[in-house]
């Protein structure tokens, strides 16, 4: 594990990141520029910006172009891309020569300005006297090179348990920004945050990166404190924090993205233990769950665990395939997604080792911090007993979600189409316990629904199967997918 230590107190809450992908044409152009300017004052600098009052924050890009036949194109420019998507372009009025020290080069626009300095080899870029819309501001920049692409991320933190702290009020959001630059994809995070009207700079590290499809997720941890660039240090002990950073790892992926979120705590001297959360402005739409039941590796908790002991008598619940049923059985499904699925039939049958009236598959506390919506889909099928329909009034299969693991909300519900015995299972469109929508047949068919995260940081998903406790009452489920954005 590679660690980079922090220096002193609150809001080192701002953490680590890693290389994000860019599309191939952008990568090629940037690489060409960087190769020509790696050890020069010219080239591209990237970083983050915040006003001291935390009202505005932005990703900053400063470009010192190579010489051009067009004098206007050779002038340095800077862009501020605010968290709102608003973009401001600043310009310098002087051309810059290669390999010369720059001191207080003035960038300006109608609403923003700052002075920029850097050594002749592009090292130690600094910004002073930054303002935006009349507000004092702070900017952190790093030189981007062919070996060390720079990834800036803006975001906020807030306090959940504040204990009356006068600056860290409940629900009050303040700036967290971070900049990552390293050749090997680990550590090296510079952070920028506000505390009241002070700006605090710090560093942290990340590790344990795991790729899952086009997305990679890494763990983030704090160092041992922070140092100020403006204002004063908070009194007390260092802030500690941890979280997750997710980014797109494929140049051909659907979009470039990088997002992070987590929790922090601070044992203050005057106000006790203060805790809160942080989240970036940008997020990565990602797959939280994809369960195809094709192997013994799964992320859900089964309650109770699979029992296939009675499958010869068509009493079972668990991961099954059509090959497990005996040739004389009348269990038949079409459009099976792969070779296996989760099935349940007569779950309290006498042939079972562990008969039960209800089965649950639970994915607990999925991270949705900073995300807005969750989309859920699954394939369902039900095998008719010849021409008969078999579900009774208490038969039910539901996909549900919960933000507290106590109150569960219906998302996709399949219910008997009447309160009497032996009726067809149908989608329950109004969640009144009676199936009134599409009929579930022996052909696997996909159904989907979505819900809002409503600002919650985690959500749990479960499949709840109940009342399939008589002969020929069955359900088959496959390819459960949960995505968040």
């Amino acid at each position: 594990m590679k660690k980079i230590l922090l220096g002193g107190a609150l809001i080192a809450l701002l953490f680590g990141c890693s290389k994000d992908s860019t599309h191939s044409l952008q990568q090629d152009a940037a690489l060409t520029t960087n190769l020509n300017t790696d050890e020069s004052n010219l080239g591209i600098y990237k970083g983050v910006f915040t006003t001291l009052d935390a009202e505005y924050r932005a990703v900053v890009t400063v470009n010192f172009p190579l010489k051009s036949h067009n004098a206007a194109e050779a002038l340095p420019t800077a862009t501020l891309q605010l968290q709102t998507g608003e973009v401001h372009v600043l310009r310098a009025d002087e051309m810059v020569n290669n390999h010369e020290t720059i001191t207080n080069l003035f960038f300006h626009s109608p609403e923003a300005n700052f002075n920029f300095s850097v050594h002749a080899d592009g090292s130690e870029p600094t910004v002073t006297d930054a303002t935006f819309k009349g507000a004092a501001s702070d900017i952190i920049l790093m030189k981007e090179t062919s070996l060390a692409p720079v990834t800036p991320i803006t975001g906020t933190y807030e306090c959940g348990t504040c204990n009356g702290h006068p600056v860290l009020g409940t629900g009050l959001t303040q700036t967290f920004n971070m900049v990552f630059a390293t050749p090997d994809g680990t550590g090296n995070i510079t952070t920028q945050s506000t505390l009241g009207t002070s700006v605090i700079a710090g560093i942290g590290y990340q590790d344990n990166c795991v790729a899952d499809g086009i997305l990679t997720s890494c763990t983030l941890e704090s160092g041992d404190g922070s140092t100020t660039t403006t204002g004063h240090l908070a009194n007390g002990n260092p802030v500690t924090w941890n979280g997750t950073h997710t980014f797109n790892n494929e140049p051909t992926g659907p979009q470039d993205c990088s997002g992070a979120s987590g929790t922090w705590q601070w044992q203050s001297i005057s106000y006790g233990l203060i805790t809160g959360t942080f989240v970036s402005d940008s997020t990565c739409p990602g797959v939280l769950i994809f369960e195809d039941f094709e192997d013994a590796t799964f992320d859900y908790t089964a309650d109770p665990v699979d029992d296939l002991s009675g499958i010869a008598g068509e009493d079972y619940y668990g991961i099954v395939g059509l090959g497990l049923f005996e040739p004389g059985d009348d269990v038949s499904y079409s459009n099976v997604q792969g070779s296996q699925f989760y099935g349940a039939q007569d779950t309290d049958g006498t042939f079972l080792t562990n008969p039960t009236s209800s089965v649950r598959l639970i994915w607990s506390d999925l991270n949705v911090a900073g995300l807005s919506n969750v989309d859920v889909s699954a394939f369902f099928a039900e095998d008719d007993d010849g021409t008969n329909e078999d579900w009774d009034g208490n038969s039910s299969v539901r996909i549900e979600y919960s933000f507290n693991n106590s109150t569960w909300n219906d998302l996709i519900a399949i219910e008997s189409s009447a309160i009497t015995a032996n009726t067809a299972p149908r989608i329950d469109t109004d969640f009144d316990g009676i199936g009134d929508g599409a009929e579930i047949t022996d052909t696997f068919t996909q159904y989907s629904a979505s819900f809002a995260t409503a600002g919650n940081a985690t959500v749990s998903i479960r499949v709840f199967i109940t009342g399939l406790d008589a002969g020929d009452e069955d359900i088959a489920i496959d390819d459960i997918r949960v995505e968040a954005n």
Side-chain angles (χ1 to χ4, degrees):
M1 175 181 292
K2 181 177 181 181
K3 296 187 179 181
I4 293 106
L5 295 179
L6 294 169
L10 184 59
I11 323 313
L13 255 198
L14 312 170
F15 39 80
C17 181
S18 178
K19 294 185 292 184
D20 281 347
S21 302
T22 55
H23 295 299
S24 57
L25 291 177
Q26 294 171 321
Q27 286 179 320
D28 292 344
L31 180 60
T32 299
T33 299
N34 293 336
L35 283 171
N36 291 327
T37 59
D38 275 356
E39 298 181 3
S40 165
N41 59 326
L42 303 182
I44 295 173
Y45 299 80
K46 291 182 179 178
V48 289
F49 155 94
T50 183
T51 52
L52 271 60
D53 60 10
E55 182 176 0
Y56 299 102
R57 55 191 179 274
V59 168
V60 184
T61 303
V62 177
N63 182 23
F64 289 89
L66 296 170
K67 293 298 182 182
S68 170
H69 295 297
N70 186 327
E73 293 178 356
L75 290 174
T77 61
T79 60
L80 303 180
Q81 182 168 345
L82 272 61
Q83 78 274 17
T84 59
E86 182 180 344
V87 175
H88 293 263
V89 179
L90 295 77
R91 302 185 184 279
D93 296 328
E94 302 176 35
M95 294 178 61
V96 174
N97 294 319
N98 198 3
H99 299 295
E100 72 175 9
T101 298
I102 301 172
T103 303
N104 291 330
L105 181 64
F106 186 58
F107 285 81
H108 60 92
S109 74
E111 294 189 307
N113 59 261
F114 62 83
N115 290 314
F116 176 90
S117 302
V118 71
H119 294 314
D121 62 357
S123 62
E124 298 186 23
T126 59
V127 171
T128 58
D129 302 319
T131 64
F132 181 75
K133 296 186 177 181
S137 305
D138 184 76
I139 295 176
I140 295 174
L141 290 174
M142 292 184 179
K143 176 71 179 291
E144 184 165 71
T145 70
S146 57
L147 294 179
V150 175
T151 300
I153 295 179
T154 63
T156 57
Y157 75 91
E158 64 178 294
C159 174
T161 302
C162 309
N163 300 332
H165 193 283
V167 178
L168 297 170
T170 302
L172 173 66
T173 59
Q174 299 191 60
T175 296
F176 101 75
N177 294 330
M178 62 184 178
V179 186
F180 170 84
T182 185
D184 61 4
T186 58
N188 291 39
I189 302 113
T190 300
T191 66
Q192 177 193 53
S193 58
T194 58
L195 177 60
T197 57
S198 298
V199 175
I200 300 172
I203 54 177
Y205 67 92
Q206 76 171 358
D207 212 336
N208 303 318
C209 296
V210 177
D212 182 10
I214 66 171
L215 297 179
T216 294
S217 293
C218 307
T219 58
L220 305 172
E221 293 187 47
S222 58
D224 65 349
S226 63
T227 59
T228 57
T229 55
T230 304
H232 60 278
L233 280 173
N235 293 324
N237 301 305
V239 168
T240 59
W241 49 263
N242 59 77
T244 302
H245 172 224
T246 302
F247 60 93
N248 184 347
N249 58 41
E250 292 188 1
T252 57
Q255 68 177 70
D256 297 323
C257 64
S258 186
S261 62
T263 60
W264 60 272
Q265 63 178 15
W266 175 43
Q267 184 65 55
S268 70
I269 294 175
S270 301
Y271 299 94
L273 182 64
I274 296 176
T275 62
T277 59
F278 59 79
V279 63
S280 58
D281 293 317
S282 60
T283 59
C284 279
V287 178
L288 304 179
I289 298 170
F290 178 65
E291 181 54 66
D292 59 7
F293 304 105
E294 292 299 319
D295 53 44
T297 302
F298 47 81
D299 296 325
Y300 61 83
T301 299
D303 179 25
V305 298
D306 295 9
D307 187 347
L308 306 183
S309 59
I311 197 167
E314 298 182 16
D315 299 342
Y316 59 89
Y317 52 89
I319 298 175
V320 298
L322 292 178
L324 292 179
F325 299 103
E326 297 182 356
D329 291 344
D330 55 6
V331 176
S332 177
Y333 301 106
S334 61
N335 195 35
V336 177
Q337 306 296 299
S339 61
Q340 296 188 144
F341 50 89
Y342 191 92
Q345 183 170 188
D346 196 4
T347 60
D348 68 348
T350 56
F351 293 104
L352 290 169
T353 301
N354 186 22
T356 180
S357 61
S358 299
V359 179
R360 297 168 181 83
L361 308 181
I362 305 171
W363 291 262
S364 298
D365 299 324
L366 304 171
N367 185 4
V368 293
L371 303 176
S372 299
N373 296 288
V374 178
D375 301 314
V376 180
S377 65
F379 284 80
F380 298 95
E382 185 266 346
D383 180 56
D384 290 341
D385 179 18
T387 59
N388 297 325
E389 302 292 351
D390 303 301
W391 279 32
D392 295 334
N394 67 333
S395 302
S396 177
V397 175
R398 301 191 296 275
I399 295 182
E400 303 170 320
Y401 67 94
S402 175
F403 296 119
N404 58 12
N405 294 309
S406 176
T407 302
W408 291 90
N409 307 285
D410 291 332
L411 189 62
I412 300 174
I414 302 171
E415 310 283 358
S416 175
S417 54
I419 60 174
T420 57
N422 299 325
T423 60
R426 295 179 180 274
I427 296 292
D428 182 4
T429 62
D430 55 7
F431 304 117
D432 66 351
I434 302 296
D436 59 332
E439 180 177 344
I440 306 303
T441 69
D442 57 9
T443 299
F444 273 95
T445 304
Q446 186 180 47
Y447 296 92
S448 61
S450 61
F451 63 92
T453 62
N456 289 279
T458 62
V459 67
S460 296
I461 303 291
R462 77 176 181 184
V463 177
F464 185 31
I465 301 170
T466 187
L468 301 187
D469 50 10
D472 300 322
E473 293 180 348
D474 74 284
I475 193 66
I477 307 170
D478 207 356
D479 281 12
I480 300 173
R481 179 181 290 270
V482 178
E483 298 183 356
N485 56 67

